Amino acid sequence: MKRVIVDYKKLNKNILNLLVEKFPDGYADKDIVHFRNQHNEAIEAVEVRTEETIYLVKISKRLADTMQSFEEEEETVSTTSDIPEEVRKDQVADIDDK
């Protein structure tokens, strides 16, 4: 199994989705993995897995913000996509008429 260390700046939608699924309420201290990289720097990360890869996502304040933003965007998209296109157009038309 391949292990990949990922910084929040390089997160793709798939990894973000895995993070939000695994940690819907955020991660706790017990979820944090501590290790040293090849430069002997202390790294803290959270782990998510696919069948082929273990992703260690470096922790930072921005990671939490990125996860929160992604989750909110996904909720907006899924909520909006549940409404038929014709209804959404009618709602926009109603707003324009007011």
Side-chain angles (χ1 to χ4, degrees), residues 7-87:
D7 190 72
Y8 82 92
K9 296 175 194 170
K10 296 183 181 178
L11 287 176
N12 62 36
K13 194 171 185 172
N14 294 335
I15 298 172
L16 265 172
N17 203 22
L18 291 170
L19 282 167
V20 171
E21 284 178 19
K22 184 171 181 178
F23 306 109
D25 298 321
Y27 49 85
D29 289 341
K30 66 179 175 58
D31 301 314
I32 299 172
V33 177
H34 303 271
F35 63 95
R36 294 200 171 268
N37 65 10
Q38 72 269 20
H39 304 293
N40 204 31
E41 299 167 327
I43 304 292
E44 293 183 331
V46 289
E47 181 181 292
V48 290
R49 295 174 179 240
T50 64
E51 290 181 17
E52 310 85 33
T53 309
I54 298 172
Y55 293 100
L56 295 172
V57 182
K58 291 182 186 179
I59 293 178
S60 69
K61 170 69 173 119
R62 291 192 177 181
L63 172 62
D65 293 343
T66 302
M67 286 174 63
Q68 181 67 32
S69 296
F70 179 77
E71 186 174 28
E72 289 169 1
E73 287 174 18
E74 288 294 307
E75 287 173 1
T76 301
V77 168
S78 66
T79 303
T80 305
S81 64
D82 292 342
I83 301 170
E85 182 68 25
E86 307 81 44
V87 175

Side-chain angles (χ1 to χ4, degrees), residues 90-98:
D90 290 344
Q91 290 174 345
V92 171
D94 290 343
I95 294 169
D96 291 340
D97 292 339
K98 292 181 183 178

